[in-house]
């Protein structure tokens, strides 16, 4: 009776352990499933984790340090002399005093130069958004290629089964079975290639998001998302005010203007007030004196530096005019390209691919009924495969063109 009780106890313990382990295993499976990543979440993740953006952001500290340096006052000059001659001890203090707003001009210049660091961050963010959009929708396109390759493989296998059934019935020669086998083999090869392309696309997006290459990514979205319709006039207005190249050139012009103001303020001499004391003199116990000195700007008045800054400003204005003209043409060409690609995508989605799908289905039914040869079905399958791939590439090209337009505008599309 005791042994029976022990067997029951051990069996119950094993059963409890098994039941307790199942939820844990199920939880482990659920934890391993990655959360679907949306495009907006990918952009936010890249903005906060991208190493290139982080490196550029750290350059702000350099500009902040320049402002701190500009705010510093000039140090006073202390001196002490001791000798055997009279007077034996001489102590003096000289304090330079900046006048004419020189310190304020210097601070204004350093503050204006700090805006260049902000422009650098915006330029890097623009590039990262462009890369995220390209990589995100390229990965979605890779997923679609895998799905399409699976569908083509299923169609090829159905045709193979139909050919094998007709061959077994003596209705067709073995040649048609071999041709169907060839279609299955090609479909399997295309599926392997599509999976490899998908792995490469995932690695590209992971690099932008600062994720390890083994990190699994599941995306939420489709190539039909975020197809904003932007008119040329609207796009040009946004690019004129938000394009980072134009904004950066505007800030460089402002920096040179501040530099000229500082150089002109430096023309004023800096007076140096001094106080001296004489000690341990045999003629008199101690004595004090005061004075002021300055360097007169007779020959050097920053003429060369001012001329150089003015010439630099003129050159930057010329570059800005050229950049603006290039932006106008690039925006016009990109908007026109997007319109053409959108019409092409609509033609594939609404007419070409559905028609090819119907033709393939009709050809397969006709083959099963014995009214056509296997070559006709293979040709219909090839047409459907090619049109589906072209439609997928057209949708991806539209997303890439939208990424180019977004980069030109310097701001995310609505």
């Amino acid at each position: 009776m005791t042994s029976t009780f022990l067997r029951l106890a051990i069996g119950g313990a094993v059963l409890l352990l098994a039941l307790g382990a199942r939820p844990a295993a199920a939880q482990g499976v659920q934890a391993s499933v990655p959360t679907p990543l949306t495009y907006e979440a990918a952009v936010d993740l890249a903005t906060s984790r991208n190493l290139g953006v982080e490196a550029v952001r750290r350059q702000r500290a350099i500009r902040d340090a320049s402002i701190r340096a500009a705010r510093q006052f000039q140090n006073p000059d202390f001196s002490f002399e001791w000798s055997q001659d009279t007077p034996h001890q001489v102590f003096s203090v000289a304090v330079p005093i900046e006048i004419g707003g020189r310190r304020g001009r210097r601070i204004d210049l350093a503050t204006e130069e700090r805006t260049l660091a902000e422009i650098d961050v915006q330029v890097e963010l623009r590039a990262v958004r462009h890369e995220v959009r390209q990589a995100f929708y390229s990965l979605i396109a890779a997923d679609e290629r895998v799905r399409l390759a699976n569908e083509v493989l299923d169609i090829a296998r159905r045709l193979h089964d139909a050919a094998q059934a007709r061959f077994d019935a003596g209705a067709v020669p073995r040649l048609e079975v071999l041709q169907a086998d060839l279609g299955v083999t090609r479909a399997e090869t295309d599926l392997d290639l599509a999976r490899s392309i998908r792995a490469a696309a995932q690695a590209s997006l992971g690099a932008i998001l600062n994720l390890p290459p083994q990190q699994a990514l599941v995306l939420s979205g489709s190539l039909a998302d975020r197809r904003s319709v932007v008119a040329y006039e609207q796009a040009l207005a946004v690019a004129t005010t938000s394009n980072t190249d134009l904004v950066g050139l505007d800030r460089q012009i402002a920096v040179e203007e501040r530099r000229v103001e500082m150089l002109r303020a430096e023309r004023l001499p800096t007076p140096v007030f001094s106080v001296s004391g004489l000690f341990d003199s045999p003629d008199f116990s101690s004595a004090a004196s005061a004075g002021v000195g300055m360097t007169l700007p007779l020959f050097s008045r920053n003429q060369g530096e001012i001329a150089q800054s003015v010439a630099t400003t003129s050159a930057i204005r010329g570059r800005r005019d050229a950049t603006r003209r290039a932006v106008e043409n690039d925006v016009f060409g990109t908007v026109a390209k997007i319109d053409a690609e959108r019409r092409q995508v609509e033609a594939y989605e609404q007419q070409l691919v559905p028609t090819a799908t119907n033709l393939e289905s009709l050809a397969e039914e006709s083959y099963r009924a014995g009214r056509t040869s296997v070559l006709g079905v293979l040709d219909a399958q090839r047409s459907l495969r090619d049109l589906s791939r072209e439609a997928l590439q057209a949708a991806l090209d539209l997303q890439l063109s939208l990424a180019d337009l977004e980069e030109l505008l310097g701001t995310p599309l609505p």
Side-chain angles (χ1 to χ4, degrees):
M1 181 175 182
T2 304
S3 60
T4 303
F5 176 76
L6 289 176
R7 286 197 298 271
L8 291 175
I10 294 173
V14 172
L15 179 61
L16 289 176
L17 289 175
L19 293 175
R22 285 181 181 178
Q27 292 177 0
V29 172
Q30 292 178 359
S32 63
V33 176
T35 304
L37 183 67
T38 63
Y39 173 76
E40 291 77 9
V43 172
D44 294 339
L45 194 62
T47 302
S48 59
R49 292 177 55 92
N50 186 269
L51 297 179
V53 175
E54 180 62 24
V56 174
R57 281 174 175 163
R58 292 181 182 181
Q59 295 181 1
R60 292 176 177 174
I62 301 175
R63 303 292 185 178
D64 292 337
S66 300
I67 295 178
R68 293 183 58 186
R71 289 175 176 172
Q72 295 175 349
F73 293 95
Q74 296 189 21
N75 293 321
D77 185 15
F78 294 89
S79 65
F80 176 78
E81 297 180 7
W82 181 89
S83 66
Q84 294 182 352
D85 299 333
T86 58
H88 297 298
Q89 300 173 3
V90 179
F91 178 80
S92 63
V93 179
V95 181
I97 304 297
E98 293 183 301
I99 61 175
R102 294 178 57 179
R103 179 173 175 271
R105 303 297 186 188
R106 189 168 61 247
I107 295 174
D108 292 341
L109 175 60
T111 304
E112 196 67 49
E113 287 179 339
R114 184 174 59 178
T115 61
L116 296 178
E118 300 295 335
I119 297 301
D120 293 339
V121 174
Q122 295 301 320
V123 170
E124 188 66 24
L125 288 175
R126 180 187 70 171
V128 167
R129 284 195 302 266
H130 184 265
E131 293 174 356
V132 168
R133 185 154 192 159
Q134 286 183 326
F136 184 88
Y137 287 105
S138 293
L139 182 54
I140 287 183
D143 288 334
E144 290 295 320
R145 288 191 182 95
V146 173
R147 181 190 60 79
L148 176 61
N150 276 311
E151 292 179 356
V152 172
L153 179 58
D154 291 339
I155 294 174
R157 285 173 175 171
R158 288 203 311 266
L159 177 61
H160 174 269
D161 294 340
Q164 185 67 45
R166 295 192 65 192
F167 171 74
D168 294 339
V172 296
R174 183 168 178 78
L175 177 62
E176 294 195 0
V177 177
L178 295 177
Q179 290 173 333
D181 285 336
L182 182 62
V184 172
T185 303
R186 179 175 181 178
E188 291 174 345
T189 304
D190 291 342
L191 178 58
D192 292 338
L193 178 61
R195 288 171 176 170
S196 300
I197 294 175
R198 200 270 177 196
Q202 176 178 286
S204 299
L205 181 58
I208 301 172
L209 303 181
N210 191 20
L211 298 174
Q214 298 84 4
Q215 179 70 44
L217 292 176
V218 177
L219 304 186
S220 174
S222 68
L223 291 175
D225 297 339
R226 304 183 63 83
R227 293 180 182 175
S228 302
V229 179
V230 182
Y232 168 69
E233 292 76 10
Q234 179 185 359
L236 181 60
V238 174
T240 302
T241 57
S242 302
N243 183 272
T244 52
D245 295 333
L246 294 176
V247 174
L249 292 172
D250 289 336
R251 301 325 310 159
Q252 292 181 30
I253 292 173
V255 167
E256 292 302 324
E257 291 175 349
R258 294 291 187 182
R259 195 186 310 279
V260 170
E261 293 176 358
M262 186 194 71
L263 291 172
R264 288 174 177 170
E266 287 179 349
R267 289 178 171 181
L268 295 176
T270 301
V272 180
F273 296 91
S274 60
V275 178
S276 302
L278 307 177
F279 304 95
D280 196 14
S281 176
D283 298 334
F284 42 83
S285 58
S286 62
S289 63
V292 61
M294 64 181 64
T295 300
L296 296 179
L298 297 179
F299 303 106
S300 176
R301 294 174 50 82
N302 292 335
Q303 303 96 323
E305 292 84 351
I306 292 175
Q308 181 180 10
S309 183
V310 171
T312 301
T313 302
S314 178
I316 295 175
R317 292 185 187 278
R319 286 168 48 198
R320 190 192 185 283
D321 294 338
T323 302
R324 178 183 171 83
R325 181 62 67 189
V327 168
E328 291 177 357
N329 285 275
D330 290 342
V331 169
F332 182 84
T334 303
V335 169
K337 181 180 178 183
I338 289 173
D339 291 338
E341 289 175 342
R342 181 177 287 109
R343 291 192 297 270
Q344 184 184 35
V345 169
E346 292 175 353
Y348 276 113
E349 294 177 347
Q350 299 175 8
Q351 184 177 1
L352 296 177
V353 174
T355 302
T357 303
N358 293 332
L359 289 176
E360 191 281 329
S361 299
L362 293 175
E364 187 174 344
E365 293 177 1
S366 178
Y367 179 74
R368 292 179 183 275
R371 293 192 296 269
T372 186
S373 66
V374 71
L375 294 178
V377 184
L378 292 175
D379 184 66
Q381 290 180 357
R382 181 168 54 253
S383 298
L384 176 59
R385 181 187 67 242
D386 294 343
L387 283 174
S388 299
R389 290 177 178 175
E390 292 172 4
L392 184 60
Q393 186 61 46
L396 177 59
D397 290 341
L398 176 57
Q399 288 292 344
L400 298 182
S401 296
L402 289 171
D404 294 339
L405 179 60
E406 192 174 66
E407 186 177 26
L408 285 171
L409 299 183
T411 184
L413 290 173

